[in-house]
Amino acid sequence: MLVLLLLLCLLCFQPLPHVKAQPSSNSQQLDALLQQCAYRALVNPKTGITYNATQQLPSNLNGIRTSALRLRSGSLRRKGYQMYNEFSIPKGLIQTPYVERIVFVYQNLGNWSTRYYPLPNYTYLAPVLGLIAYNGSNLTATNLQVLHVNASSDPILVMFHDVKSPPHGTVAKCVWFDLNGSFNFSNVIKGNTCYASQQGHFSIVFKSNAPLTPKGEGKKSKSNKVWIVIVGSVVGGLALVVVLSFLVLWMRKFKQKKKMEQMENAADVGEPLHMTSVGDTKAPAATVTRTQPILEPEHAS
Ligand SMILES: *[C@@H]1O[C@H](CO)[C@@H](O)[C@H](O)[C@H]1NC(C)=O
Ligand SMILES: *[C@@H]1O[C@H](CO)[C@@H](O)[C@H](O)[C@H]1NC(C)=O
Ligand SMILES: *[C@@H]1O[C@H](CO)[C@@H](O)[C@H](O)[C@H]1NC(C)=O
Ligand SMILES: *[C@@H]1O[C@H](CO)[C@@H](O)[C@H](O)[C@H]1NC(C)=O
Ligand SMILES: *[C@@H]1O[C@H](CO)[C@@H](O)[C@H](O)[C@H]1NC(C)=O
Ligand SMILES: *[C@@H]1O[C@H](CO)[C@@H](O)[C@H](O)[C@H]1NC(C)=O
Ligand SMILES: *[C@@H]1O[C@H](CO)[C@@H](O)[C@H](O)[C@H]1NC(C)=O
Ligand SMILES: *[C@@H]1O[C@H](CO)[C@@H](O)[C@H](O)[C@H]1NC(C)=O
């Protein structure tokens, strides 16, 4: 009985499925921090060489990798940059505002990907990678603004290493987060490559939300799910009330039975009482000389 009650309570107080917010300012703070760390690795840097800045990261961000690459804008526009870790930067990149030297900060968020870029209903098949352009003219300057870059002719390529395969029946998708945290999906090219026209954060995902309804019924809207939960709670609550009522009734009957037994025992000793039925229970219908036993009124709750 108790177990049943506990189960019902659990059913009633199950929280509504909550919807996670989009990537927040948290990820923008991380961008700023990683920019500072990556710039620290650029000590008398050579143009066009990748400088890893993993040692410059605070230890509480263990698992994240970052690097910096400084380029002359002119040569970047004419030639692009073939392979900057997983990124291939095409020629014809338009940057606003114009700067003479540009630094691309690379991020590999590794096992921190879901922490900084939670994507409800999707599962990551690769780490989140970031590419962000900054003014590279003064490497000790602080509070650097992000430059806008736009691939005008060819796209930026993101070629992921070690992409996990999506489960059977699902399709891998590229996801792109812009610097404000909005995201959009596109097709995966050749199994591991995403095309991008702008900077930001990239990964490969598959849709993994578990439907509440059996398969075949297909997509259920969110409002349907909410209704299922609400109806479930109401039904559960009613069941709980019914069970509680039965419990109370049963306890009362049990008490009365005890009382009756005591009375009957008493009656056995003295003058026998005539029993009549009152409702479901037997009650002593005494002779006029005896005081009438008062039955407690039966309230349902
Ligand atoms: C720098 O980091 C990249 C990826 O994060 C890695 O592939 C490369 O081997 C590293 N280079 C050095 C010199 O550590
Ligand atoms: C990622 O892994 C590193 C160890 O490789 C660990 O120190 C860190 O706490 C992990 N981060 C998260 C968010 O789990
Ligand atoms: C880039 O940095 C240099 C050196 O600090 C500065 O003179 C220039 O105005 C900056 N450019 C932009 C577009 O912020
Ligand atoms: C670079 O920035 C630092 C810090 O803001 C400043 O002290 C320095 O004068 C700047 N150098 C140039 C060449 O603008
Ligand atoms: C990027 O360039 C394309 C083509 O030149 C243009 O249509 C688009 O508006 C640009 N996007 C941004 C954000 O500048
Ligand atoms: C982000 O938002 C700001 C203001 O809301 C806007 O000016 C900027 O263009 C947006 N950036 C991107 C990459 O969408
Ligand atoms: C998302 O991508 C699709 C296809 O590339 C495009 O039609 C749509 O406008 C994009 N949405 C946003 C919000 O950028
Ligand atoms: C998750 O998927 C469900 C069902 O497809 C949908 O109703 C819900 O809006 C999705 N959540 C988010 C945050 O996209």
Side-chain angles (χ1 to χ4, degrees):
M1 189 59 122
L2 255 175
V3 175
L4 196 67
L5 280 177
L6 276 177
L7 273 176
L8 277 168
C9 286
L10 278 180
L11 266 179
C12 290
F13 299 117
Q14 221 177 30
L16 288 170
H18 72 271
V19 178
K20 269 211 184 129
Q22 282 187 356
S24 54
S25 58
N26 239 353
S27 55
Q28 287 175 349
Q29 283 165 18
L30 181 70
D31 288 344
L33 177 68
L34 294 181
Q35 180 269 314
Q36 287 164 28
C37 296
Y39 267 55
R40 262 183 246 143
L42 293 174
V43 182
N44 299 322
K46 289 200 175 89
T47 298
I49 302 286
T50 300
Y51 291 86
N52 283 351
T54 306
Q55 269 109 52
Q56 280 77 6
L57 282 181
S59 57
N60 63 356
L61 289 178
N62 203 340
I64 293 181
R65 283 183 289 157
T66 186
S67 35
L69 168 71
R70 187 154 88 146
L71 299 170
R72 275 183 233 280
S73 291
S75 102
L76 172 67
R77 172 114 32 98
R78 283 192 311 276
K79 297 191 287 191
Y81 191 89
Q82 263 313 301
M83 256 0 258
Y84 178 32
N85 298 330
E86 289 91 337
F87 290 91
S88 174
I89 302 168
K91 61 180 192 297
L93 208 66
I94 294 169
Q95 34 160 304
T96 45
Y98 175 82
V99 291
E100 214 167 298
R101 285 164 181 276
I102 190 168
V103 169
F104 283 107
V105 171
Y106 162 89
Q107 309 176 357
N108 181 331
L109 298 192
N111 60 345
W112 295 79
S113 297
T114 50
R115 177 79 61 93
Y116 283 101
Y117 293 89
L119 198 54
N121 294 339
Y122 290 88
T123 300
Y124 283 109
L125 295 167
V128 168
L129 304 180
L131 182 73
I132 306 179
Y134 297 92
N135 187 351
S137 295
N138 184 350
L139 296 175
T140 55
T142 49
N143 286 324
L144 285 179
Q145 298 298 304
V146 172
L147 299 176
H148 291 279
V149 295
N150 191 0
S152 59
S153 47
D154 300 330
I156 298 168
L157 304 186
V158 195
M159 292 181 234
F160 291 88
H161 308 315
D162 309 322
V163 182
K164 296 192 204 93
S165 8
H168 191 70
T170 63
V171 179
K173 283 279 182 188
C174 292
V175 62
W176 164 63
F177 297 88
D178 76 12
L179 297 174
N180 286 343
S182 344
F183 53 88
N184 205 350
F185 299 95
S186 62
N187 292 330
V188 179
I189 313 294
K190 292 187 206 148
N192 75 332
T193 303
C194 295
Y195 286 177
S197 64
Q198 286 177 59
Q199 61 192 338
H201 292 85
F202 307 87
S203 191
I204 296 181
V205 297
F206 72 92
K207 199 158 204 245
S208 60
N209 65 317
L212 272 182
T213 44
K215 264 189 185 173
E217 270 204 60
K219 292 173 193 164
K220 281 270 167 192
S221 76
K222 192 171 121 199
S223 63
N224 268 354
K225 278 188 186 169
V226 171
W227 271 111
I228 288 169
V229 171
I230 289 171
V231 171
S233 305
V234 169
V235 170
L238 280 177
L240 182 66
V241 166
V242 168
V243 169
L244 276 175
S245 310
F246 272 116
L247 193 69
V248 167
L249 276 176
W250 178 76
M251 294 256 280
R252 294 219 158 163
K253 279 195 183 159
F254 183 76
K255 265 193 195 162
Q256 280 176 1
K257 212 171 164 188
K258 268 272 161 74
K259 224 175 184 176
M260 298 289 302
E261 271 170 17
Q262 281 172 0
M263 282 179 163
E264 279 176 49
N265 284 346
D268 281 347
V269 180
E271 163 196 354
L273 287 169
H274 299 286
M275 305 298 287
T276 61
S277 295
V278 176
D280 262 355
T281 52
K282 282 188 168 182
T287 49
V288 239
T289 49
R290 290 182 70 96
T291 46
Q292 198 83 19
I294 298 152
L295 284 176
E296 291 167 58
E298 284 186 13
H299 288 303
S301 57

